[in-house]
Amino acid sequence: MFIEEKLDMDGLGITLAIKTLQAIAFVCDILTFPVYVLFQRPWRNRSLSRRVKAIPVSSDARSITYRSLSDPGECHIQMVRENIDTLAKVLEFCVKRYANKKCLGTRQIKAEEDEVQANGRVFKKYVMGDYMWKTYAEVDMLATNFGKGIRELGNQPKENIVIFAETRAEWMIAAQGLFKQSIPVVTIYATLGDEAITHSINETEVTTIITSYDLMPKFKKILASTPSVKTIIYMEDQLKKFENSGYKSGVEIIPFNTVVKRGAESKIQNCMPSPNDVAIIMYTSGSTGVPKGVVIVHSNLVATLKAFSNAVTIRDDDCLIAFLPLAHVFELLVESVCLCTGVAIGYSTPLTMIDSSSKIKKGTKGDASVLRPTCMTSVPLILDRISKGIQEKVSKGSNVAKALFKFSYDYKTMWTRRGYSTPLVDKIVFSKIRQILGGRIRLVLSGGAPLSPDTHEQINTCLCISIVQGYGLTETTSCATIMDCHDMSVGRVGGPTTVCDIKLVNWEEGHYRITDKPYPRGEIVVGGDCISMGYYKLPEKTRDDFYEADGKRWFKTGDIGEIHSDGVVKIIDRKKDLVKLQAGEYVSLGKVETELKTCPIVDNVCIYGDSSKQYCVALIVPNQTQLTDLATKNGISNKNFADLCSLPAMEKAVLQELLEHGKKCKLEKFEIPAAVKLCTEVWSPDMGLVTAAFKLKRKDIQERYQHEINRMYAS
């Protein structure tokens, strides 16, 4: 669909080129078809894709419960045999199997230099070296020593400690060290605002905070409001020395490596946790209100570890590029699965990941090009941006290049749906796109929100990879459903994992019932060993959302799903996202946003619906390049981005683009916004308008743009 919007097929030469390509492909298909059938066995691929993943195990008038048909994998079985029931035991399990194998890698930063841009501006850029690796045995030793060093500083088992830092090797080492001493880890997103950070520190009554050099300046202000904090441990910077002036007196500030050295000299023994001990109090950067601390015990984490290890196929040379927040349970569990299966983890950041990243010096390579990973985690917003980057690059090519790309894309999609791979097309056409992420990526794990079918298919096709989409929440330790590795469908989040059941419960107000045709629909409720203990110091909220039944602990997600005949779940709505307009139509804000995000001109979007009005409105963060092109088409030139966003004519033009795109996505007329505001600001976690997982914080967005929302409705 996206290619059709970009491709001008006028001209006899282009048409002739396409006809020639089709004729050549037809002849090649006839000649090679028997070989492909023999070696690729497409009937087997189609059969595996269509196989039933879960079946109903119980039902009543209000609900129906599904359970996975998958068997435990080798790693799962080994963990059961060796009684691995805590994360502290997990690391011992890993070291026993992979002691001398590469474990955690950090890219060397050699220098920071000024780089003059074409417009005369000067940016700081890194001169970077290779990845520096620690083996499993070295990581275990560092974790053990760090945990002992923490004890030497006076911290006791069962006393909370905060980790407030970006994703990096020291984060994982610190957490593993604390697990070995039965010390609960309080995780706080590095992108949270000062108020949320202060709330999380004070609520958990911590005396020690582990942070990074880059985040230390925040504490010049925060420490005044956190009286319990006595010690800050900071992870050192590769280039800069720490300057400790300006911090609250009486607070001891210690380098990370100093704690490790103290632990190396300590006689204190490990204090190993039990399965029911608290491992993590994970503060969610929730889409509403102040962050809530979700209490996760070791047995919850191990249950999800088993489920994730059952769902993915690991190869000996696999390597993960890690950049999502480790303070998010999804990233923490994926990295833990990598540890369990001997997969090397190379750390990166969005500022250094690819060759064109903002901190990479021109002419040098980004992390992905150096690391050449085979696996990565992502969230839909990042995949949407990669998708739009591909669209933009194609749109700037010649008409012949566009025609070749469209033909190759359609050709590959057709054969993929039939169960075949297309190695020649991958090599000739898509190999350059694959090089963006190092050329070896084969598996992307996507979580945090539903991924649009268009983006899912495009990334699979153009990067020649398999996206495994999953669904889970912090409250379910990131575990609920996960796609089967053989499933060729898009737009769904997989069947129940091997460690939990999925229940659909009627939601009468939204008219979702298990008796709906063709598929049962309702609120998703998850039950199993992965369900957390509840919310920290919020007993009433815990009672509202969690309950015990049928020998299991259950969590009411608030998400609406439908379960297809093969036992696979599709997320179709969310209770909090449903708005009833004045005429009685229900609009699912999240569903509309997911579809409109695939429109080339939209970088981000928040739909707002007022139940006293007959239509919705939209706050749009437009793509600068696409907006400029649209302005040119409408006869508007010599305007900067901010000026374009303020022009009523451009709002009208963008609205027309959304209308046409919405029709192609089969949105109802009442679901498509009737007015838009073009926002010049890129919504980031730092602004407090999206969470660390890039989910919209509707309340904060509404408050920030209330005047514009009123204007749109008044117009």
Side-chain angles (χ1 to χ4, degrees):
M1 180 173 63
F2 78 94
I3 297 168
E4 290 170 1
E5 293 171 4
K6 292 290 176 189
L7 185 56
D8 178 6
M9 293 300 292
D10 293 338
L12 184 60
I14 302 298
T15 304
L16 184 60
I18 287 289
K19 295 291 184 186
T20 304
L21 280 172
Q22 288 173 338
I24 294 171
F26 180 71
V27 173
C28 288
D29 287 344
I30 291 174
L31 295 175
T32 60
F33 186 72
V35 177
Y36 278 98
V37 170
L38 182 64
F39 285 99
Q40 295 191 2
R41 299 189 229 177
W43 64 88
R44 181 175 175 272
N45 296 332
R46 292 193 297 267
S47 176
L48 287 170
S49 177
R50 291 194 295 256
R51 76 176 181 85
V52 175
K53 284 82 174 177
I55 57 171
V57 292
S58 66
S59 63
D60 55 37
R62 292 186 61 252
S63 68
I64 182 169
T65 304
Y66 285 78
R67 184 170 297 161
S68 173
L69 289 176
S70 299
D71 296 322
E74 181 187 347
C75 184
H76 184 157
I77 293 169
Q78 282 290 109
M79 290 175 74
V80 172
R81 282 177 180 166
E82 299 192 28
N83 193 31
I84 308 300
D85 52 13
T86 68
L87 279 198
K89 286 185 181 179
V90 165
L91 188 57
E92 291 183 344
F93 172 74
C94 300
V95 174
K96 196 186 301 182
R97 303 172 94 191
Y98 313 111
N100 298 315
K101 198 171 181 182
K102 287 194 299 188
C103 183
L104 305 182
T106 301
R107 185 100 185 263
Q108 183 185 17
I109 302 174
K110 294 181 175 179
E112 189 176 45
E113 297 181 355
D114 290 339
E115 184 178 277
V116 181
Q117 308 302 302
N119 59 8
R121 295 180 68 186
V122 177
F123 291 126
K124 295 284 186 183
K125 302 282 185 172
Y126 286 143
V127 178
M128 305 188 79
D130 292 327
Y131 268 85
M132 302 175 291
W133 291 95
K134 292 178 174 63
T135 65
Y136 277 80
E138 289 170 336
V139 168
D140 183 53
M141 181 183 68
L142 288 169
T144 298
N145 290 340
F146 183 83
K148 290 180 178 182
I150 286 287
R151 292 286 304 279
E152 288 287 344
L153 292 173
N155 295 275
Q156 298 302 314
K158 308 294 175 74
E159 291 181 359
N160 302 331
I161 286 183
V162 159
I163 299 184
F164 172 67
E166 310 91 342
T167 295
R168 52 194 289 170
E170 292 92 337
W171 200 112
M172 181 62 82
I173 290 166
Q176 294 292 344
L178 297 178
F179 295 148
K180 286 171 177 279
Q181 297 297 337
S182 297
I183 295 175
V185 177
V186 178
T187 67
I188 303 176
Y189 288 114
T191 51
L192 282 184
D194 290 354
E195 186 180 340
I197 297 165
T198 301
H199 165 79
S200 306
I201 291 170
N202 288 336
E203 187 170 73
T204 52
E205 303 174 76
V206 299
T207 59
T208 299
I209 293 171
I210 302 165
T211 188
S212 67
Y213 171 91
D214 290 337
L215 294 174
M216 277 300 297
K218 278 183 171 285
F219 289 96
K220 289 182 179 181
K221 179 180 177 182
I222 289 171
L223 286 174
S225 306
T226 54
S228 64
V229 176
K230 305 300 178 191
T231 307
I232 296 181
I233 299 163
Y234 70 92
M235 304 165 188
E236 298 96 323
D237 186 83
Q238 289 191 43
L239 300 177
K240 301 166 189 169
K241 296 293 183 185
F242 176 68
E243 174 55 57
N244 64 0
S245 61
Y247 292 90
K248 179 181 173 182
S249 62
V251 175
E252 188 177 12
I253 299 175
I254 309 171
F256 187 91
N257 285 326
T258 299
V259 180
V260 174
K261 288 174 184 174
R262 286 193 193 183
E265 299 165 357
S266 173
K267 303 297 184 190
I268 292 173
Q269 297 300 307
N270 288 337
C271 178
M272 301 293 271
S274 72
N276 294 322
D277 283 341
V278 176
I280 295 174
I281 302 171
M282 187 159 279
Y283 275 84
T284 64
S285 57
S287 52
T288 58
V290 296
K292 301 186 294 288
V294 179
V295 180
I296 301 174
V297 298
H298 281 273
S299 61
N300 297 149
L301 293 161
V302 172
T304 299
L305 265 181
K306 292 171 181 174
F308 282 9
S309 68
N310 293 336
V312 294
T313 302
I314 300 299
R315 298 176 183 170
D316 288 341
D317 65 341
D318 274 335
C319 175
L320 177 83
I321 187 166
F323 65 97
L324 290 185
L326 266 168
H328 193 298
V329 68
F330 172 59
E331 178 70 16
L332 177 61
L333 265 304
V334 169
E335 290 191 29
S336 297
V337 171
C338 289
L339 294 180
C340 281
T341 51
V343 174
I345 302 170
Y347 288 97
S348 179
T349 75
L351 301 178
T352 61
M353 182 178 292
I354 61 175
D355 296 352
S356 59
S357 291
S358 60
K359 291 292 283 185
I360 295 294
K361 188 179 179 182
K362 198 170 185 179
T364 61
K365 292 188 178 298
D367 298 338
S369 296
V370 174
L371 185 66
R372 301 193 69 231
T374 59
C375 311
M376 67 179 281
T377 52
S378 189
V379 292
L381 184 63
I382 292 173
L383 294 175
D384 285 337
R385 286 175 179 171
I386 293 173
S387 170
K388 283 175 184 162
I390 295 170
Q391 295 177 40
E392 198 171 315
K393 195 165 186 178
V394 171
S395 70
K396 289 178 179 177
S398 66
N399 283 345
V400 173
K402 291 178 190 175
L404 174 63
F405 191 89
K406 174 173 170 34
F407 169 79
S408 302
Y409 186 95
D410 291 344
Y411 178 86
K412 179 175 178 178
T413 302
M414 175 188 71
W415 285 108
T416 299
R417 287 172 181 169
R418 295 175 181 178
Y420 293 88
S421 61
T422 55
L424 289 177
V425 172
D426 292 347
K427 181 78 172 174
I428 296 168
V429 179
F430 297 115
S431 58
K432 285 187 179 179
I433 299 175
R434 279 176 58 78
Q435 292 303 319
I436 294 171
L437 293 172
R440 292 205 312 148
I441 284 283
R442 67 174 185 85
L443 177 65
V444 173
L445 301 170
S446 176
L451 181 65
S452 81
D454 286 344
T455 299
H456 193 158
E457 184 174 75
Q458 189 203 341
I459 298 292
N460 275 357
T461 301
C462 296
L463 293 184
C464 311
I465 61 171
S466 173
I467 295 179
V468 173
Q469 192 174 179
Y471 164 72
L473 305 93
T474 306
E475 292 86 345
T476 67
T477 322
S478 195
C479 182
T481 70
I482 193 162
M483 281 183 68
D484 184 273
C485 60
H486 301 289
D487 191 345
M488 295 189 292
S489 66
V490 296
R492 306 191 298 172
V493 294
T497 68
T498 51
V499 300
C500 70
D501 290 345
I502 298 294
K503 182 182 293 186
L504 292 186
V505 179
N506 289 347
W507 183 37
E508 298 294 346
E509 183 184 349
H511 306 295
Y512 292 113
R513 302 179 182 90
I514 62 169
T515 53
D516 290 345
K517 303 296 180 185
Y519 307 117
R521 305 189 297 174
E523 180 183 2
I524 297 171
V525 181
V526 186
D529 293 339
C530 57
I531 306 302
S532 83
M533 296 299 101
Y535 300 112
Y536 190 70
K537 294 184 177 179
L538 292 172
E540 290 186 13
K541 179 66 175 168
T542 298
R543 282 193 293 271
D544 287 344
D545 293 348
F546 296 83
Y547 67 94
E548 306 278 343
D550 307 321
K552 285 186 174 68
R553 187 164 177 79
W554 297 83
F555 175 70
K556 295 179 278 189
T557 67
D559 292 315
I560 307 300
E562 65 180 25
I563 299 188
H564 295 173
S565 54
D566 59 355
V568 173
V569 177
K570 182 178 183 180
I571 308 296
I572 57 173
D573 214 333
R574 179 160 177 79
K575 277 185 171 183
K576 292 178 183 176
D577 287 353
L578 202 65
V579 173
K580 187 177 183 181
L581 299 179
Q582 189 180 48
E585 304 103 332
Y586 282 95
V587 177
S588 172
L589 306 179
K591 169 196 156 190
V592 175
E593 287 159 356
T594 297
E595 296 294 355
L596 294 186
K597 277 179 188 174
T598 63
C599 181
I601 204 161
V602 177
D603 266 359
N604 212 343
V605 55
C606 179
I607 306 294
Y608 179 80
D610 187 331
S611 57
S612 67
K613 307 294 183 183
Q614 294 185 348
Y615 57 90
C616 296
V617 297
L619 298 160
I620 303 281
V621 179
N623 179 281
Q624 293 196 29
T625 303
Q626 296 291 334
L627 190 70
T628 303
D629 290 347
L630 184 62
T632 303
K633 286 180 186 176
N634 283 269
I636 301 171
S637 58
N638 300 320
K639 297 281 186 183
N640 62 32
F641 179 64
D643 290 339
L644 289 176
C645 287
S646 64
L647 289 177
M650 289 309 301
E651 289 181 349
K652 187 175 179 181
V654 169
L655 195 59
Q656 184 60 35
E657 293 283 308
L658 295 186
L659 179 63
E660 293 173 6
H661 188 80
K663 287 178 181 175
K664 289 178 182 176
C665 294
K666 296 185 171 60
L667 292 179
E668 300 290 344
K669 187 176 181 180
F670 63 82
E671 292 179 308
I672 300 172
V676 300
K677 157 66 181 170
L678 303 181
C679 307
T680 56
E681 306 163 303
V682 176
W683 299 340
S684 67
D686 293 336
M687 293 176 64
L689 300 183
V690 294
T691 71
F694 294 98
K695 293 179 183 177
L696 299 178
K697 300 178 81 169
R698 295 191 186 281
K699 185 179 177 183
D700 296 291
I701 292 173
Q702 181 186 342
E703 288 175 357
R704 189 180 187 95
Y705 295 103
Q706 189 62 61
H707 175 74
E708 297 296 340
I709 291 170
N710 295 341
R711 177 187 65 81
M712 285 188 280
Y713 275 121
S715 66

